[in-house]
């Protein structure tokens, strides 16, 4: 038995201390106690029948959340980025043409992921806060004839809810597959043309980050299960995931990876909360709270970054960074004084906006009022240059 | 506002029920309440200063666990398989020669992962339960001149603890990098030649599955940060992870992905438990309990699958599947009658063995006695054919 040469770190002899904080940024948002407590249930095996039942519950819950009958619906054992790679790795083969719509960070990241696995990537780009018309999208689809088209439904970096009506049909007309990221639960029946849809657990679902709901259409599965090369990732190979999630019709499940069972408990509970409220009620509440919040901002003289009312995300609001202020002073002041997170921009929107997320349990007039009061206070107390 | 077409699933209207169970398989193992409770702390932001402190604590704890001064030490936001892909994706470029030592499932999976990203993969293979001599390894290294050599230190599918003394030096002599998986905390100072080492949170650390400690040597970083092509995965790109974990010396951290913050809480707590006990005490306890358990098995007339005493994992014991029985009858009987998980083989060891994991808090004489009693009971009550 050798002696240890690296001594025990003193910092681990102090107890874990986690502050309570109002999480009104673009996610993670506050997790209700019942969801946190669900995650503290005892660990059982990742292949035990009870876990398969819980996974079946999750599958049903995601089908409800996404309003889809897709059989290939599951949660990836990882974050939203893992789900994004799962979607791209499974659909795209080296040399495939990929088109990404870039109106914020997600299109950029999708392009980067597809490039890394040898796709020929083209992008259409519009400044942060904007979105694409169906005519622009059709033109690009005809020009690049992509095997895959990526679009962010909920562009959390800019606060844009992208109109989706008819885009799926455009893609299918030229044999492209349509992949889409969302962070809102405002997924409506117009989404029927989407082939792959995913989100992160820590957005409106109010679960801790660490799992990511994803759904593949029959059409997407056709492409995926007839590809010539294996996907680059064994861990994210849909044929394995489909088996682990009981989506491949086989009688038994083979060990693939050790699912994060406690994260599955939390995710299930977050879906149960959604089922309790009802999806329509949740949509309605998010929409009304967003409108209430937006009116409050405008009555303070603040400007909304997304001009087109219909293209405003009900979950993440972007506010034009107030003139004369350093946006970092505002977010820091609010964190320090109000113990409340709102954030600046991300990727292309850095410096342009403040971002406020009111999602899941945080979507309430009470939370909106807290943010409005904190902003008012910050604008009075933060340094303002005389422009 | 469209109406919902997929109705709320009834199965989510029932409360979550998770049974208590003795988890004496190869992992996950039982998670002590204080670690589960740590994970139920409130969610804060993945970029908040308190999370960076917690991540620094985790980094120190992993350095202690692995007995390494490696600066590039962190936890991957995913399972053990994610860490495995992180190691292989970052080190291997298309066309690189990779050598895997296959004496169970892990070498097979490493080969599969490396093949998928275009490596030229060769394997040395020995039957389950065996391991490789340094001479065999040197011969293969000289023959294939791999850029990367993969070996499982703790081969959980067969119960083999692979001797490691001198292997790192052999690799370095021919300019190969040495990657290694372990599930035991019996990592001793002989491991100095290892370039990449990883494990899963759900093994001896007793945290829930969902994070995976990993460490890269200075030498491994030299290769990784001088590669010609980008790794296939953006999510697992070490240059991004290094920044998120504060391992790259930069003053600020850029948003990469949303870390599973509550899983980080649990992982930190599990490392604090290890620090409290002390690594040497933990090694000693695992070793003594394993020897006690092995004596108990032998006195019942059961045979240990790994003949060489020195090559027996102190955490996962493999028992030769008892003659005349269907191994599934035994594991099912024990689950049903004793609410206790032991498992069959995995990959190459299916049908050959029963596997018992006594890890972390489950490494105690009391747990060993429970398993021995359950096995005795099963051998009396399960159907035995008259061979």
């Amino acid at each position: 038995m050798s002696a240890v040469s690296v001594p025990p770190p003193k910092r681990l002899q102090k107890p874990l201390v986690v502050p309570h904080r109002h999480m009104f940024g673009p996610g993670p948002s506050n997790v209700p106690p019942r969801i946190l407590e669900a995650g503290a249930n005892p660990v059982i095996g990742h292949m035990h029948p009870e876990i398969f039942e819980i996974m079946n519950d999750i599958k049903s819950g995601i089908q409800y959340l996404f309003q889809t009958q897709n059989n290939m619906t599951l949660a990836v054992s990882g974050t939203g980025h893992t789900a994004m790679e799962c979607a791209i790795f499974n659909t795209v083969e080296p040399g495939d043409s990929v088109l990404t719509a870039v109106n914020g960070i997600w299109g950029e990241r999708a392009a980067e992921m597809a490039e890394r696995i040898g796709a020929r990537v083209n992008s259409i780009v519009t400044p942060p806060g904007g979105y694409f018309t169906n005519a622009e999208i059709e033109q690009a689809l005809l020009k690049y004839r992509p095997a895959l088209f990526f679009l962010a439904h909920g562009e959390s970096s800019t606060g844009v809810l992208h109109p989706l009506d008819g885009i799926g049909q455009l893609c299918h007309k030229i044999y492209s597959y349509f992949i889409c990221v969302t962070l809102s639960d405002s997924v409506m029946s117009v989404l029927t043309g989407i082939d792959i849809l995913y989100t992160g657990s820590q957005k409106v679902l109010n679960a801790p980050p660490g799992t990511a709901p994803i759904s593949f259409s029959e059409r997407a599965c056709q492409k995926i299960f007839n590809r010539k090369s294996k996907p680059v990732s064994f861990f994210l190979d849909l044929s394995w995931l489909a088996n682990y999630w009981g989506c491949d019709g086989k009688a038994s499940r083979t060990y693939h990876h050790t699912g994060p069972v406690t994260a599955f408990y939390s995710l299930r509970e977050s879906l149960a909360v959604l089922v309790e409220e009802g999806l329509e009620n949740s949509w309605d509440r998010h929409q009304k709270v967003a409108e209430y919040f937006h009116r409050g901002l405008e009555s303070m003289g603040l400007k909304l970054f997304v001009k087109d009312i219909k293209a405003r995300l009900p979950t993440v609001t972007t506010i034009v960074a107030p003139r004369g202020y350093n946006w970092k002073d505002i977010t820091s002041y609010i964190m320090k004084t109000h113990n409340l997170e709102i954030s600046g921009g991300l990727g292309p929107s850095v410096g342009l906006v403040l971002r406020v997320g009111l999602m899941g349990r945080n979507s309430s007039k009470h939370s909106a009022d807290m943010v409005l009061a904190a902003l008012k206070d910050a604008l009075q107390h933060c340094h303002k240059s005389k422009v």
Side-chain angles (χ1 to χ4, degrees), chain A:
Chain A
M1 189 75 48
S2 321
V4 300
S5 60
V6 176
K10 288 219 173 71
R11 46 165 62 239
L12 276 170
Q13 290 163 22
K14 291 180 199 155
L16 172 70
V17 178
V18 180
H20 282 259
R21 185 161 287 160
H22 301 290
M23 296 292 296
F24 297 155
S29 53
N30 291 106
V31 176
R34 67 179 271 195
I35 296 177
L36 287 171
E37 282 158 20
N41 267 291
V43 166
I44 58 171
H46 50 291
M47 303 285 282
H48 288 185
E50 294 88 351
I51 278 290
F52 291 153
E53 276 306 298
I54 288 168
M55 291 163 79
N56 290 342
D57 296 346
I58 289 171
K59 179 178 168 173
S60 299
I62 299 172
Q63 286 172 326
Y64 177 60
L65 169 73
F66 285 169
Q67 285 293 297
T68 180
Q69 311 270 10
N70 286 347
N71 172 49
M72 196 62 72
T73 298
L74 51 91
V76 172
S77 302
T79 72
H81 277 83
T82 317
M84 198 169 176
E85 291 202 330
C86 181
I88 294 172
F89 285 177
N90 280 290
T91 336
V92 178
E93 296 199 66
D96 272 356
S97 167
V98 167
L99 177 66
T100 70
V102 178
N103 63 335
I105 193 172
W106 301 116
E108 289 180 357
R109 293 220 159 164
E112 159 120 33
M113 286 174 185
E115 270 164 14
R116 284 174 183 249
I117 58 168
R120 294 176 293 116
V121 180
N122 290 286
S123 298
I124 46 176
V125 182
T126 195
Y131 59 90
F132 303 91
T133 63
N134 283 15
E136 287 168 329
I137 290 169
E138 183 170 22
Q139 199 180 10
L141 288 168
L142 288 169
K143 183 169 175 191
Y144 300 115
R145 306 230 155 231
L148 186 76
F149 174 53
F150 177 95
L151 178 78
H153 181 215
E155 178 45 82
S156 54
S157 69
T158 65
V160 168
L161 179 75
H162 205 291
L164 288 171
D165 215 353
I167 298 180
Q169 289 77 344
L170 285 179
C171 287
H172 298 175
K173 208 165 71 178
I174 67 138
Y175 307 106
S176 181
Y177 294 84
F178 184 20
I179 176 181
C180 194
V181 54
T182 180
L183 56 58
S184 92
D185 63 0
S186 55
V187 179
M188 307 194 192
S189 48
V190 292
L191 294 211
T192 42
I194 295 179
D195 294 302
I196 310 175
L197 186 66
Y198 74 89
T199 186
S201 55
Q202 77 278 14
K203 307 288 185 177
V204 285
L205 282 178
N206 277 171
T211 55
I214 192 166
S215 183
F216 298 82
S217 71
E218 195 56 50
R219 212 171 152 271
C221 293
Q222 281 291 333
K223 169 148 170 78
I224 291 167
F225 296 129
N226 289 295
R227 48 184 293 156
K228 292 177 204 114
S229 59
K230 284 185 182 177
V232 289
S233 168
F234 169 79
F235 176 62
L236 295 177
D237 187 323
L238 191 62
S239 55
W240 283 89
L241 291 174
N243 178 261
Y244 184 38
W245 281 84
C247 302
D248 65 352
K250 288 190 184 152
S252 71
R253 307 194 197 193
T254 308
Y255 170 62
H256 175 232
H257 71 281
T258 302
V261 293
T262 57
F264 289 162
Y265 303 158
S266 308
L267 180 60
R268 185 201 184 278
E269 194 68 13
S270 73
L271 290 161
V273 169
L274 180 68
V275 164
E276 258 181 38
E277 179 177 19
L279 198 51
E280 284 156 309
N281 292 336
S282 175
W283 292 342
D284 196 42
R285 177 169 56 87
H286 280 86
Q287 192 59 42
K288 282 188 177 142
V289 168
E291 286 166 11
Y292 172 82
F293 181 56
H294 295 173
R295 280 196 302 276
L297 291 169
E298 287 178 327
S299 72
M300 281 172 61
L302 290 168
K303 289 194 181 111
L304 290 169
F305 186 66
V306 181
K307 301 298 163 217
D308 182 350
I309 292 176
K310 279 185 199 152
R312 287 177 187 161
L313 263 177
T315 44
V316 175
T317 296
T318 41
I319 304 162
V320 176
R323 265 186 92 175
Y325 293 91
N326 181 337
W327 66 267
K328 279 185 192 166
D329 290 345
I330 296 174
T331 56
S332 303
Y333 178 86
I334 289 178
M335 176 68 89
K336 204 173 128 192
T337 317
H338 296 262
N339 190 33
L340 186 156
E341 174 180 71
I342 69 167
S343 73
L346 180 66
S349 65
V350 168
L352 303 178
V353 296
L354 296 172
R355 293 187 298 156
V356 178
L358 296 173
M359 288 184 266
R361 76 176 288 204
N362 286 349
S363 169
S364 68
K365 286 194 179 178
H366 177 67
S367 300
D369 286 339
M370 283 178 69
V371 179
L372 292 170
L375 277 168
K376 200 169 176 184
D377 185 30
L379 294 177
Q380 277 168 2
H381 288 91
C382 291
H383 172 77
K384 189 178 185 187
S385 61
K386 286 164 194 153
V387 187

